[in-house]
């Protein structure tokens, strides 16, 4: 748990309004237990200032940054999707628990158990990216903390009001990962929104 919150809404290198970034997301759409869990957390945070709650339709687990759309030829994107498809087809759908509370300096998120349970999915995506479009500098190292963000911080200040509001946190629920989604994402004010480009199934 952090002691201080900072503003999440700074621009990563190369990002600007309207510029689309390609990413692989794992999406909880249709999984009512997960959506209800997020709602319960957001209800607890509704009276806390300095937070932007994530709308249900834009809940996601960022798994792999691919790069900026205007820098990647369409043929390489097609190769990326095909490569990821081959690798993910070799993996059975994975079930983890989501709901491990993580209050970090830029927001509130729900982590998973087991913590490394989705690493095979991440590994498949990185391998496909390395062979087709390259691993983008913004993706960082292979280390990854899978999480679903509940709220982003939009101000600097103490974390204590958030921690207090979440004192009685709901318990975790199952999350089934049966597919990965390639999206073209933009930052729209204090919101991430995207256009879906491809869905690749596990198994």
């Amino acid at each position: 748990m952090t002691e201080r919150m900072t503003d999440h809404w700074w621009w990563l290198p190369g990002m600007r309004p309207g510029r689309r970034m390609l990413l692989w997301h794992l999406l909880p759409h249709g999984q009512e237990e997960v959506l209800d869990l997020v709602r319960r957390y957001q209800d607890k945070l509704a009276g806390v200032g300095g937070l932007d709650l994530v709308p249900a339709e834009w809940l996601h687990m960022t798994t792999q940054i691919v790069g900026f759309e205007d820098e990647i030829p369409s043929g390489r994107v097609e190769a990326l999707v095909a490569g990821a498809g081959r690798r993910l087809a070799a993996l059975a759908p994975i079930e983890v628990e989501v709901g491990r509370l993580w209050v970090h300096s830029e927001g509130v998120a729900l982590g998973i158990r087991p913590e490394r349970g989705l690493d095979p999915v991440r590994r498949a995506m990185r391998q496909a990216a390395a062979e087709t479009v390259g691993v983008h500098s913004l993706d960082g190292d292979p280390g990854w903390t899978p999480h679903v963000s509940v709220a982003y911080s939009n101000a600097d200040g103490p974390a204590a009001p958030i921690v207090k509001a979440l004192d009685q946190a709901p318990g975790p629920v199952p999350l089934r990962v049966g597919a990965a989604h390639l999206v073209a994402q933009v930052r729209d004010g204090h919101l991430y929104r995207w256009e879906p480009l491809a869905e690749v199934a596990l198994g």
Side-chain angles (χ1 to χ4, degrees), residues 155-197:
D156 298 339
I162 296 171
V163 175
K164 182 179 180 181
L166 299 176
D167 183 47
Q168 299 294 325
V173 298
L175 169 68
R176 184 180 187 275
V177 175
H181 297 259
L182 182 68
V183 304
Q185 179 172 289
V186 295
R187 204 183 100 183
D188 183 4
H190 287 189
L191 176 71
Y192 295 114
R193 59 179 177 82
W194 57 79
E195 176 190 351
L197 300 180

Side-chain angles (χ1 to χ4, degrees), residues 1 37 39-45 99 101 103 110 160-172:
M1 297 280 182
L37 179 65
R39 280 193 295 268
R40 291 166 67 191
Y41 270 96
Q42 291 181 341
D43 287 346
K44 290 177 176 292
L45 294 170
L101 178 60
V103 180
L110 303 179
I162 296 171
V163 175
K164 182 179 180 181
L166 299 176
D167 183 47
Q168 299 294 325

Side-chain angles (χ1 to χ4, degrees), residues 21-28 58-67 80 84 87-88 91 94 96 98 102 110 112 115-130 134-136 138-149 152 175-183 185 192 194 198 200 202:
M21 174 178 279
L22 303 187
L23 307 98
W24 286 104
H25 282 336
L26 305 179
L27 302 177
W58 303 117
L59 292 171
H60 62 281
M61 184 181 293
T62 300
T63 309
Q64 175 78 27
I65 294 174
V66 176
L80 168 71
R87 288 169 173 80
L88 293 180
L91 302 176
I94 300 173
V96 295
V98 64
W102 179 27
L110 303 179
I112 67 166
E115 292 184 29
R116 307 263 58 92
L118 295 176
D119 279 8
V121 177
R122 159 80 166 178
R123 207 159 35 240
M125 292 175 178
R126 282 182 66 85
Q127 290 169 351
V135 176
H136 197 275
L138 289 179
D139 186 58
D141 60 41
W144 175 51
T145 304
H147 64 275
V148 176
S149 290
Y152 295 111
L175 169 68
R176 184 180 187 275
V177 175
H181 297 259
L182 182 68
V183 304
Q185 179 172 289
Y192 295 114
W194 57 79
V200 177
L202 279 70

Side-chain angles (χ1 to χ4, degrees), residues 1-20:
M1 297 280 182
T2 184
E3 294 185 357
R4 300 284 303 176
M5 305 302 294
T6 59
D7 188 355
H8 169 78
W9 302 108
W10 53 280
W11 292 100
L12 291 169
M15 290 185 67
R16 58 178 180 266
R19 193 180 193 193
R20 293 174 21 138

